[in-house]
């Protein structure tokens, strides 16, 4: 899935400098560290939109998931702990939350797109995805064409919504604020099918045997972690942490933990 260049894993705890108003530089060049300004001292604050299992969801009152573990790698590298803010996807994908200083980064199973690149900066890709269809088991809806005149549930502000609107001529899209509402609507027959990312849908059908993934569209999406436009210091820390984890097996361990049934990606 990506280059496997080995980088030394930086474990040194770095002093965290919070930018005072008017300051323009916080570069800390001490012992291999990096001066990354954080919105809350001692914390790496993550914006995400729950639930998006297995990337981020609540379990036993804790937010856990693939993305949570990936961001923990970055927090560890910075010598801080991760704090998660649950907020609507719209504010995340438009860069609004990052610009408002609500969080340092956005990790939300978010696809890197050209439009979003204009409003925030992305880390390098850390996960591959495609759009997929979910319907009741045995249903005839195996393509967008088959949904002509039917109701297709989409999640607001997502690449699935964009894909359905662009490619689903004559399909009636029904918008849901989050994927849990969308999936319940599919299960209860409120909509005929739903469109969303394959990883999330496969996890749902694994636990809901009355539903099935009926199609996958090769959209070639890649997830990236978002930072405020110009926050190169943090973006580079993210890339460094992910690269090191890919090289030493920690990325694969996280992958297996959240996708135990999936064939190993390379
Ligand atoms: N990958 C899709 C997108 O970027 C869906 C992401 C939805 N994520 C979430 N946490 N609700 O548009």
């Amino acid at each position: 899935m990506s280059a496997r260049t080995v980088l030394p894993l930086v474990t040194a705890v770095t002093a965290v400098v919070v930018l005072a108003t008017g300051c323009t530089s916080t570069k800390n060049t001490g012992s291999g560290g990096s001066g990354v300004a954080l919105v809350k001292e001692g914390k790496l604050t993550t914006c995400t939109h729950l639930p998006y299992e297995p990337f981020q969801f609540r379990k036993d009152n804790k937010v856990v998931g693939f993305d949570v573990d990936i961001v923990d790698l970055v927090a560890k590298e910075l010598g801080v702990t991760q704090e998660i803010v649950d907020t609507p996807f719209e504010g995340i994908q438009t860069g609004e939350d990052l610009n408002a200083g609500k969080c340092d980064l956005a990790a939300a199973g978010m696809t890197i797109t050209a439009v979003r690149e204009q409003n925030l900066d992305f880390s390098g890709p850390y996960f591959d995805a495609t759009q997929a269809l979910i319907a009741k088991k045995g249903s005839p809806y195996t393509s967008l064409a088959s949904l002509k005149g039917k109701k297709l549930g989409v999640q607001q502000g997502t690449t699935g919504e964009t894909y359905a609107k662009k490619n689903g001529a004559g399909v009636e899209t029904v918008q849901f604020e989050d994927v849990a509402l969308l999936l319940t609507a599919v299960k209860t027959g409120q909509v005929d099918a739903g469109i969303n990312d394959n990883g999330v849908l496969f996890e749902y059908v694994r636990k809901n045997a009355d539903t099935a993934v009926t199609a996958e569209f090769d959209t070639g999406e890649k997830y990236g972690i978002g930072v405020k436009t110009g926050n190169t210091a943090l973006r580079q820390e993210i890339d460094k942490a992910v690269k090191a984890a890919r090289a030493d097996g920690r990325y694969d361990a996280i992958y297996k933990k959240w996708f135990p049934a999936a064939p190993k990606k390379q």
Side-chain angles (χ1 to χ4, degrees):
M1 182 163 134
S2 83
R4 285 187 171 258
T5 320
V6 179
L7 268 195
L9 169 62
V10 179
T11 48
V13 174
T14 308
V16 174
V17 184
V18 177
L19 259 187
T21 343
C23 281
T24 49
S25 166
T26 58
K27 209 66 197 164
N28 164 13
T29 47
S31 60
S34 52
V36 176
L38 299 170
V39 296
K40 195 166 165 189
E41 204 178 331
K43 301 281 177 200
L44 183 59
T45 310
T46 299
C47 277
T48 198
H49 182 217
L50 302 173
Y52 209 61
E53 188 173 355
F55 296 94
Q56 45 266 324
F57 60 105
R58 275 206 177 80
K59 198 180 176 189
D60 306 327
N61 251 347
K62 261 190 77 183
V63 178
V64 297
F66 184 91
D67 286 358
V68 177
D69 285 354
I70 294 292
V71 175
D72 271 344
L73 298 171
V74 183
K76 189 170 178 205
E77 185 178 88
L78 295 173
V80 297
T81 52
Q82 180 180 187
E83 194 166 278
I84 296 175
V85 178
D86 179 24
T87 183
F89 192 64
E90 191 60 17
I92 293 176
Q93 65 115 5
T94 54
E96 214 175 284
D97 292 335
L98 291 164
N99 289 339
K102 202 182 226 183
C103 43
D104 299 300
L105 55 81
M110 181 163 59
T111 304
I112 300 169
T113 71
V115 174
R116 291 171 182 166
E117 292 266 28
Q118 289 170 14
N119 303 315
L120 53 91
D121 287 349
F122 280 105
S123 70
Y126 69 93
F127 196 88
D128 294 338
T130 70
Q131 290 307 305
L133 276 188
I134 183 167
K136 294 280 266 294
K137 196 169 230 157
S139 101
Y141 307 119
T142 56
S143 65
L144 284 181
S146 69
L147 282 159
K148 221 177 177 154
K150 303 287 172 191
K151 289 193 170 85
L152 174 65
V154 301
Q155 185 186 348
Q156 185 184 354
T158 62
T159 48
E161 177 175 38
T162 306
Y163 185 85
K165 289 194 167 149
K166 194 167 169 208
N167 300 290
V171 178
E172 185 192 338
T173 55
V174 182
Q175 202 185 54
F176 294 90
E177 215 278 312
D178 68 41
V179 82
L181 295 170
L182 189 166
L183 291 168
T184 302
V186 171
K187 201 177 159 79
T188 58
Q190 191 189 331
V191 292
D192 298 294
I195 187 166
N196 212 283
D197 297 29
N198 57 346
V200 170
L201 297 190
F202 278 115
E203 179 65 11
Y204 186 77
V205 302
R206 196 168 72 81
K207 293 180 173 167
N208 293 269
D210 55 335
T211 62
V213 173
T214 57
E216 275 190 271
F217 311 112
D218 193 11
T219 54
E221 292 172 57
K222 288 182 185 306
Y223 293 168
I225 293 174
V227 298
K228 186 175 168 174
T229 302
N231 192 351
T232 309
L234 180 56
R235 186 170 53 77
Q236 287 176 346
E237 288 298 326
I238 297 166
D239 287 342
K240 194 164 86 178
V242 172
K243 202 168 189 175
R246 281 190 199 277
D248 67 15
R250 283 174 301 151
Y251 179 95
D252 285 345
I254 293 170
Y255 192 94
K256 276 197 208 104
K257 175 176 166 193
W258 298 107
F259 299 94
K264 198 181 152 342
K265 298 214 171 177
Q266 43 150 357

